[in-house]
Amino acid sequence: MSYVLRRLAQTLFVVVAVTFLTSIALRFMPGGEKVLIGLTTGPGATPEQAAAKVKELGLDRPFITQYVSWMGDFVTGNWGTTWQTNQSISAEIKRAMPTSLYLMIYGQFVALGLAIPTAVWSAYRQNTRFDRMASTSAFGMLSLPNFIVAPLLVLIFSVTWNIFPFPSIYRSLWDSPIEHFKAFALPSFTIAIPLYAGYMRLLRADMIASLQSDFITTARAKGVSTPSLLFVHGLRPSLFSLVTSAAVNIGALMGGVVIVEQFSLLNGMGRLTVESIFRREYPTVQYAVVLLALIYIFVNFFVDMAYAWIDPRVRAGR
């Protein structure tokens, strides 16, 4: 319990630091306060209108006061409206967030679901034809960025073969499961292909080391079956590097979501953030960036908890 509380305290500190630094960054945006005033009052605003807008936006208050007020709005969900379309920011993010979360989760699950069995069997059959083919193909996939994979998959599976729809239209999982998975199939594989290659090579190397350990020799001498030997005795101690890589790649997933959503025309957080940047909807950008950062922070918190489950020595050592 003390380990969990220490990690939770560190996580909350990082949350405060991220929100604080994000608020500071927006104060150094191109044009500064003049851009804010111009966007919200129009190019022909009088000095009186500009002064009134400065007061309305709270730009006349000290930065710490602005930050505390913004945090209060963030926690309570009072995020205001967009400047140009007068839409609720919270409603816009609520609409976009599920799309990006589904895309990141599916991409991660596809990558891990393909990488783990391939890496385990490749390590067990080291230096065989299967191992060489798996390692070579993974090495090739590492060199395929999302902006290359996305149009290729669309060209093959949507334009040529017409298997998956393009553009991808979001459907609720509970309303239409088949259409939901069809919409996310190509974007998920686009994200998963480079991740799979890294995960497979990493886990394969760790599994080879684990399978050469004394406890594996002992288990084999006791007559443990091959599946149990690989996936029970060998896999668990080999997961540290994979879990770390999967957590670190949450950031890469977020970057991939931005690219993939542009190609597949999915209306998720990545596309919302990019469009808000071009429209200079800075409050929307701020809330979107902070939410994505919080996802990354709390995923890493749960990964730390996973470390403690994989190896109890982690709890004892911290």
Side-chain angles (χ1 to χ4, degrees):
M1 180 60 69
S2 60
Y3 171 74
V4 174
L5 293 177
R6 285 197 303 271
R7 298 302 300 163
L8 183 59
Q10 294 171 2
T11 299
L12 293 177
F13 173 78
V14 174
V15 168
V16 174
V18 166
T19 56
F20 187 78
L21 292 174
T22 303
S23 298
I24 291 177
L26 287 181
R27 292 180 67 89
F28 293 94
M29 62 187 176
E33 295 180 0
K34 293 182 179 179
V35 172
L36 287 175
I37 297 169
L39 287 172
T40 53
T41 60
T46 64
E48 291 76 14
Q49 290 175 319
K53 183 56 64 175
V54 167
K55 187 174 182 62
E56 179 185 337
L57 296 175
L59 299 176
D60 57 335
R61 296 178 295 174
F63 171 73
I64 295 298
T65 305
Q66 295 182 43
Y67 171 73
V68 173
S69 176
W70 179 86
M71 278 295 294
D73 291 340
F74 178 75
V75 173
T76 58
N78 182 24
W79 296 357
T81 59
T82 59
W83 293 336
Q84 299 187 29
T85 60
N86 202 32
Q87 299 293 318
S88 169
I89 295 177
S90 59
E92 288 287 297
I93 292 180
K94 185 178 180 180
R95 172 193 57 78
M97 182 62 77
T99 302
S100 295
L101 288 179
Y102 276 125
L103 186 53
M104 288 190 288
I105 291 171
Y106 292 157
Q108 191 77 282
F109 269 99
V110 169
L112 291 172
L114 294 175
I116 290 176
T118 303
V120 169
W121 191 252
S122 184
Y124 179 67
R125 303 289 294 173
Q126 184 182 5
N127 295 326
T128 62
R129 179 178 296 179
F130 176 85
D131 179 38
R132 289 193 294 269
M133 290 178 59
S135 299
T136 302
S137 61
F139 183 77
M141 290 178 187
L142 281 174
S143 61
L144 293 176
N146 291 324
F147 60 85
I148 296 295
V149 176
L152 282 177
L153 292 183
V154 169
L155 178 63
I156 296 171
F157 293 100
S158 295
V159 177
T160 304
W161 292 346
N162 196 27
I163 298 176
F164 298 106
F166 182 82
S168 300
I169 301 175
Y170 174 79
R171 294 286 188 273
S172 172
L173 176 61
W174 315 115
D175 294 338
S176 181
I178 295 177
E179 295 300 320
H180 172 86
F181 286 113
K182 286 179 67 176
F184 282 99
L186 288 186
S188 298
F189 273 93
T190 301
I191 290 178
I193 286 176
L195 294 179
Y196 155 79
Y199 294 159
M200 183 270 170
R201 289 168 59 86
L202 189 64
L203 182 59
R204 174 187 175 276
D206 289 342
M207 275 294 298
I208 289 175
S210 294
L211 292 177
Q212 295 173 350
S213 301
D214 293 338
F215 68 90
I216 293 294
T217 303
T218 302
R220 186 179 285 112
K222 290 181 178 180
V224 175
S225 65
T226 298
S228 179
L229 186 75
L230 295 177
F231 290 97
V232 177
H233 294 79
L235 181 59
R236 183 170 175 175
S238 306
L239 287 177
F240 267 104
S241 298
L242 181 63
V243 169
T244 302
S245 179
V248 171
N249 278 328
I250 296 296
L253 278 171
M254 293 176 182
V257 161
V258 173
I259 297 173
V260 172
E261 286 179 357
Q262 298 299 315
F263 277 102
S264 60
L265 303 182
L266 281 170
N267 291 314
M269 288 293 289
R271 195 174 181 191
L272 174 64
T273 303
V274 171
E275 291 178 351
S276 298
I277 290 172
F278 283 114
R279 294 198 306 262
R280 294 192 175 184
E281 293 279 2
Y282 292 115
T284 306
V285 175
Q286 183 174 9
Y287 285 115
V289 169
V290 168
L291 283 174
L292 292 175
L294 291 180
I295 293 173
Y296 182 80
I297 291 169
F298 282 105
V299 165
N300 278 272
F301 169 76
F302 288 111
V303 167
D304 286 339
M305 299 302 101
Y307 285 154
W309 172 79
I310 293 172
D311 191 345
R313 292 175 297 178
V314 172
R315 297 194 298 268
R318 297 186 183 183

